[in-house]
């Protein structure tokens, strides 16, 4: 039996997610704002949950229709055979996004969907599902957009950027799926297979490094997770899931033999400690070097007397977080100078806030991709660094 699935992601990452799903052998049906649609048997949805680094959630569609009133939400939700998905003894949570006629807030919309579920599953004795905001047995997604409501089962449970291993962080770290998307844009999967090095001169808690390590060693991002949105779902197919887990485990065992050359650098000792711990939990520190030092002292690793060509990635402060605006601008200018003087022949992927920060780097970007880092509108800037040395730094 084929199902309709919706994979969600951050704005701007939809084409990258579609590419990733296709690379996994999943046929993409359509791409929308913040979503990618695909069709397949249940194990296809499971595969997206387990192996996608860029998706935020994977939703199994249960119903869809036009909505023009709160009563219509209840009616559409009532068309779903909820007794095939959960029992009265189980807990639920409804995530509702969007507004429409008579629907002025998400809480009201979620209430209507929840009422339909409870009325459908309630037993003659009065037993009914409870709402659990922390660890629901079944999580329901409801998305209202331009009068069309889509109701689905959230197969993910927790958002997929939570990889399942602990994460030490400080400040405002980059989400794992955004970091993975930037690495994908920089063609890191191919570079890693070719043995290229990766360098992050402002690594913070090591998000780029942990994602780069997972990609290079073919470790499924969901392999460490113990609980999923489908774990207590009545329609769950344990055998199909276990086959995928065994595939992921075998690929991970094989991938550990892959040598990596990852270098992180940061001026904050706490960040270095956090990065080391995060990388250790994500797969180990073999082939990973974390250095204490300033951006200005960054240099590419040498290889047999020649400078290897690799990928530099970084998420410098935007001026609203760790430093003031003038300090952040100076740091972006310094980044541009370090790239053009020392990382000759490298590719660089930099995510920064749209506006003065992006201009301060002082290099011509071959690609500028609009994305959102949380609520902040940013640009992912790709630079192909010339092999020719420059005469002087920019001011």
């Amino acid at each position: 039996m084929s199902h309709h699935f919706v994979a969600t992601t951050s704005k701007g990452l939809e084409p990258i997610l579609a590419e990733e799903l296709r690379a996994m052998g999943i046929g993409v049906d359509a791409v929308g704002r913040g979503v990618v649609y695909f069709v397949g048997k249940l194990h296809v949805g499971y595969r997206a949950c387990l192996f996608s680094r860029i998706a935020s959630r994977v939703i199994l569609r249960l119903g869809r229709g036009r909505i023009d009133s709160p009563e219509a939400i209840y009616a559409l939700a009532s068309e779903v055979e909820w007794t095939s998905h959960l029992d009265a003894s189980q807990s639920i949570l409804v995530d509702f996004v969007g507004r429409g006629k008579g629907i002025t807030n998400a809480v009201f919309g979620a209430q209507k969907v929840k009422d339909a579920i409870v009325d459908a599953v309630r037993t003659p004795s009065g037993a009914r599902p409870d709402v659990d905001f922390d660890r629901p047995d079944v999580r329901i997604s409801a998305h209202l957009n331009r009068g069309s409501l889509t109701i689905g089962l959230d197969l993910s449970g927790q958002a997929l950027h939570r990889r399942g291993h602990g994460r030490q962080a400080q400040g405002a770290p980059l989400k794992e799926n955004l970091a993975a998307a930037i690495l994908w844009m920089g063609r890191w999967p191919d570079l890693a297979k070719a043995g290229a090095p990766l360098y992050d001169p402002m690594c913070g808690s090591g998000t780029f490094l942990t994602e780069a390590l997972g990609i290079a060693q073919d470790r499924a991002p969901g392999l460490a997770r113990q609980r999923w949105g489908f774990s207590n779902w009545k329609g769950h197919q344990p055998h199909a899931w276990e086959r995928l887990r065994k595939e992921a485990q075998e690929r991970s065992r094989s991938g550990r033999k892959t040598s990596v050359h990852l270098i992180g650098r940061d001026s904050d000792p706490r960040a270095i400690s956090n990065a080391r711990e995060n990388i250790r939990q994500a797969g180990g520190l073999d082939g990973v070097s974390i250095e204490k030092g300033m951006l200005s002292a960054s240099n590419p690793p040498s290889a047999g007397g020649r400078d290897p060509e690799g990928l530099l990635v970084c998420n410098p402060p935007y001026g609203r977080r760790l430093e003031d605006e003038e300090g952040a601008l100076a740091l972006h200018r310094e980044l541009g100078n370090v790239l053009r003087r020392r990382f000759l022949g490298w590719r660089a992927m930099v995510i920064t806030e749209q506006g003065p920060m992006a201009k301060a780097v002082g290099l011509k970007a071959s690609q500028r991709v609009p994305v959102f880092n949380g609520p902040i509108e940013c640009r992912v800037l790709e630079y192909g660094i010339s092999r020719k040395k420059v005469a002087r730094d920019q001011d």
Side-chain angles (χ1 to χ4, degrees):
M1 176 182 176
S2 289
H3 301 277
H4 291 268
F5 299 95
V6 182
T8 69
T9 193
S10 301
K11 293 176 185 177
L13 301 185
E14 303 92 344
I16 313 302
L17 173 57
E19 286 182 20
E20 182 198 40
L21 292 175
R22 291 189 185 104
M24 290 162 52
I26 296 175
V28 171
D29 194 37
V31 178
R33 185 173 182 177
V35 295
V36 175
Y37 302 94
F38 60 99
V39 179
K41 293 185 178 179
L42 186 58
H43 69 83
V44 174
Y46 285 169
R47 179 172 291 278
C49 283
L50 183 57
F51 287 99
S52 176
R53 291 187 173 275
I54 301 171
S56 299
R57 295 185 179 277
V58 176
I59 310 297
L60 169 64
R61 196 177 79 192
L62 302 177
R64 185 171 65 178
R66 301 295 300 177
I67 296 298
D68 58 8
S69 68
E71 291 72 28
I73 292 178
Y74 180 93
L76 179 63
S78 297
E79 293 177 6
V80 178
E81 294 183 9
W82 291 110
T83 53
S84 299
H85 302 289
L86 72 154
D87 293 326
S89 60
Q90 293 182 290
S91 60
I92 61 172
L93 179 64
V94 178
D95 296 314
F96 192 100
V97 177
R99 295 184 179 186
K101 293 181 179 179
I103 314 298
T104 57
N105 63 74
V107 174
F108 184 54
Q111 182 72 35
K112 287 297 180 182
V113 176
K114 188 268 294 182
D115 288 346
I117 297 171
V118 168
D119 290 346
V121 179
R122 181 186 284 113
T123 66
S125 65
R128 44 159 286 177
D130 291 324
V131 173
D132 187 335
F133 291 98
D134 297 321
R135 290 173 60 89
D137 293 315
V138 177
R139 190 165 189 150
I140 305 301
S141 168
H143 184 215
L144 178 59
N145 182 38
R146 297 181 179 179
S148 178
L149 179 66
T150 300
I151 299 173
L153 178 83
D154 188 342
L155 298 177
S156 320
Q158 279 194 327
L160 293 177
H161 76 87
R162 300 178 182 275
R163 302 307 198 201
H165 47 76
R167 185 188 190 193
Q168 303 295 320
Q170 62 197 67
L174 205 63
K175 279 188 178 180
E176 289 85 344
N177 57 340
L178 178 52
I182 293 169
L183 290 166
W184 185 278
M185 293 180 209
R187 295 176 284 286
W188 173 243
D190 294 331
L191 290 171
K193 289 177 184 176
L198 179 138
Y199 194 105
D200 183 350
M202 291 174 273
C203 69
S205 56
T207 306
F208 275 127
L209 299 173
T210 55
E211 290 301 305
L213 179 64
I215 291 169
Q217 297 190 337
D218 197 19
R219 179 178 173 82
L223 190 56
R225 292 182 58 157
Q226 300 298 315
R227 196 170 190 269
W228 295 85
F230 53 75
S231 297
N232 296 306
W233 171 48
K234 288 178 70 173
H236 177 39
Q237 296 178 6
H239 294 302
W241 175 245
E242 280 308 309
R243 282 195 298 271
L244 284 171
R245 275 189 52 82
K246 287 179 180 178
E247 176 191 335
Q249 289 167 347
E250 179 56 37
R251 285 169 56 174
S252 179
R253 280 192 292 268
S254 178
R256 286 176 190 164
K257 303 171 186 176
T258 303
S259 61
V260 296
H261 196 178
L262 309 179
I263 306 99
R265 189 178 188 86
D266 205 279
S267 60
D268 185 344
R270 284 193 308 160
I272 292 173
S273 176
N274 289 338
R276 285 177 177 154
E277 178 60 19
N278 290 336
I279 294 164
R280 186 191 66 77
Q281 293 193 37
L285 287 162
D286 288 346
V288 184
S289 173
I290 310 292
E291 310 166 346
K292 182 179 183 299
M294 304 298 291
L295 168 65
S296 58
S298 295
N299 280 290
S302 60
R306 63 181 178 85
D307 291 335
E309 296 176 4
L311 178 66
L312 183 145
V313 291
C314 70
N315 173 33
Y318 305 159
R320 62 171 67 193
R321 301 184 305 162
L322 305 180
E323 299 183 17
D324 61 20
E325 185 175 356
E326 283 303 315
L329 286 168
L331 197 62
H332 281 72
R333 285 191 289 270
E334 186 171 51
L335 174 62
N337 289 328
V338 166
L339 289 174
R340 66 214 295 260
R341 280 195 169 274
R342 300 177 192 163
F343 287 81
L344 307 181
W346 278 52
R347 179 182 297 127
M349 305 296 297
V350 178
I351 176 172
T352 190
E353 189 171 13
Q354 165 67 354
M357 299 298 162
K359 295 178 181 178
V361 178
L363 298 174
K364 184 177 181 181
S366 58
Q367 184 178 199
R368 303 171 64 92
V369 180
V371 298
F372 278 84
N373 183 7
I376 305 173
E377 184 178 0
C378 294
R379 293 293 184 271
V380 176
L381 308 171
E382 178 178 356
Y383 302 105
I385 311 302
S386 172
R387 292 179 176 83
K388 296 180 180 180
K389 291 186 178 181
V390 298
R392 63 185 180 85
D393 289 347
Q394 63 165 332
D395 296 325

